Amino acid sequence: MAGKRKKILVTGGAGFIGSHLIKLWLKTNPSVEIVNLDSLTYCGDPSRLEDLRRHERYQFIKGNICDPDIVKDTMRGCAGVVHLAAESHVDRSLLDGKVFFQTNTCGTYVLLEEARRTGVERFLFVSTDEVYGSRPKGFFKETDALHPTSPYSVSKTAADLLALSYAHTYGLNAVVTRGGNTFGPYQYPEKVVPLFVSNALSNKRLPLYGDGLQVRNWVHVEDHAHAIITCFEKGKKGEAYNVASDDYVTNVDLTHQILKILGKPASLIQKVTDRPGHDRRYAMNASKIKKLGWRPKRKFAAALRETVLWYRDNRIWWERIKDKTADFKNYYAKQYARSV
Ligand SMILES: NC(=O)c1ccc[n+]([C@@H]2O[C@H](COP(=O)([O-])OP(=O)(O)OC[C@H]3O[C@@H](n4cnc5c(N)ncnc54)[C@H](O)[C@@H]3O)[C@@H](O)[C@H]2O)c1
């Protein structure tokens, strides 16, 4: 991608991972120009990209990826597409899955169709480790069968396989990244790390699902963004790449680590009924992406500490939006997550 300027369409760039990706890419590659297409749903927030408002290689367009006319206009002149726009919260998908299939599945179809029509040089779909489902032992490889278990992960799996099918069937230069649980600054405070940190800072209870022994792989957002760029530049057409660190942590351990960093008591933990269908363990083998030269640079304990302290020092960002999550959390608690 060096040399002549290339315009890249990033979808969902006002979200958590997308905003970090855009900032990293513009900083590290002077030949990249970015158009960010985002409809600004409840979790989209352009203030994450405030620093770029006057950046000469950055443009923001408010629009829905499900709208073929907007997608056609926005993709015009783009050499590549990195597609992150999604409904991303599993709990919400349990209450109402419809918008998940509209955005995550049908929206991806609209983008792929336009990419095929215009003949973009590269299309990268940002998928998730949740497509594999749970695994008691061992690590999933990219060639393993997919067994998604929630409306969210099924909507992502359909899109993941659709992107790969466009490489196989139409020759589109498509690749897929399957990322682990991502954490870092500017994550919407309904996700576990910012939810627990912000609750603890306000001396509110931390609702821990079931026995808390669910295992997750944790990837820092800058490592995830770097992995996406690596696969965009070097990934092989029609292939998927797992994006995983070496850090596997149970939810209960994560909760204790957060409380310890903040000097808050374990009595803030409130056990609630487990999420219906909660996958027990996600685990992926990352040797394929390592062959492209990617390695996670962040060590979990230090990166978690830095992240927790960022939320402590940037209350102004999350306090403004935290209230918006309250209605959903209360409603969800009535449906599923009662105290036990
Ligand atoms: N956060 C994680 O732990 C994680 C892990 C692996 C993969 N992923 C995937 O990475 C991507 C980004 O995740 P995130 O955590 O940054 O999500 P996020 O919820 O923070 O951001 C999603 C963005 O997409 C936008 N969006 C939603 N629907 C849209 C539509 N119809 N048209 C245009 N824009 C729309 C939102 O406004 C928001 O800015 C998602 O595809 C997600 O499935 C996330």
Side-chain angles (χ1 to χ4, degrees), residues 15-17 38-39 41 43 64-65 84 88 103 127 152 156 180 182:
F16 166 52
I17 301 173
D38 194 304
S39 62
T41 64
C43 62
N64 195 320
I65 57 162
L84 300 102
S88 65
T103 289
S127 187
Y152 164 70
K156 291 291 292 185
T182 305

Side-chain angles (χ1 to χ4, degrees), residues 98 151 165 191 195 214 238-239 250 253 257 272-273 309 325 333:
K98 192 173 169 198
S165 82
K191 303 285 169 61
L195 175 73
Q214 307 84 1
E239 301 274 331
T250 62
D253 187 16
Q257 289 193 47
V272 296
T273 44
L309 298 183
T325 67

Side-chain angles (χ1 to χ4, degrees), residues 12 17 28 33 68 84 96 98 104 111 117-118 145 156 170 172 183 198 273 290 293 310 323:
I17 301 173
T28 54
E33 208 178 303
L84 300 102
D96 183 3
K98 192 173 169 198
N104 300 0
L111 287 162
R117 204 189 61 78
T118 55
K156 291 291 292 185
Y170 302 116
L172 184 72
F183 70 104
S198 55
T273 44
K290 285 182 179 163
W310 185 89
D323 287 347

Side-chain angles (χ1 to χ4, degrees), residues 12 14-16 38-48 62-64 84-96 99-100 103-104 152 186-192 194-195 275 317-329 332:
F16 166 52
D38 194 304
S39 62
L40 301 183
T41 64
Y42 74 96
C43 62
D45 180 2
S47 82
R48 291 178 170 117
K62 184 168 188 267
N64 195 320
L84 300 102
E87 287 295 330
S88 65
H89 192 40
V90 178
D91 289 352
R92 287 182 188 262
S93 83
L94 304 185
L95 291 178
D96 183 3
V99 69
F100 285 74
T103 289
N104 300 0
Y152 164 70
Y186 288 113
Q187 188 168 27
Y188 197 76
E190 66 187 356
K191 303 285 169 61
V192 65
L195 175 73
R275 171 194 280 164
W317 181 75
W318 57 263
E319 271 177 346
R320 194 169 48 82
I321 49 179
K322 177 118 174 159
D323 287 347
K324 286 201 255 169
T325 67
D327 285 350
F328 162 70
K329 283 286 161 201
Y332 184 83

Side-chain angles (χ1 to χ4, degrees), residues 5-8 72-80 118 120:
R5 267 201 192 172
K6 295 228 175 178
K7 190 155 91 169
I8 311 292
K72 186 175 173 187
D73 282 350
T74 321
M75 211 183 285
R76 191 171 295 128
C78 289
T118 55
V120 296

Side-chain angles (χ1 to χ4, degrees), residues 23 72 76 232 270 295:
K23 284 190 250 188
K72 186 175 173 187
R76 191 171 295 128
F232 184 87
Q270 176 182 28
R295 294 260 176 308

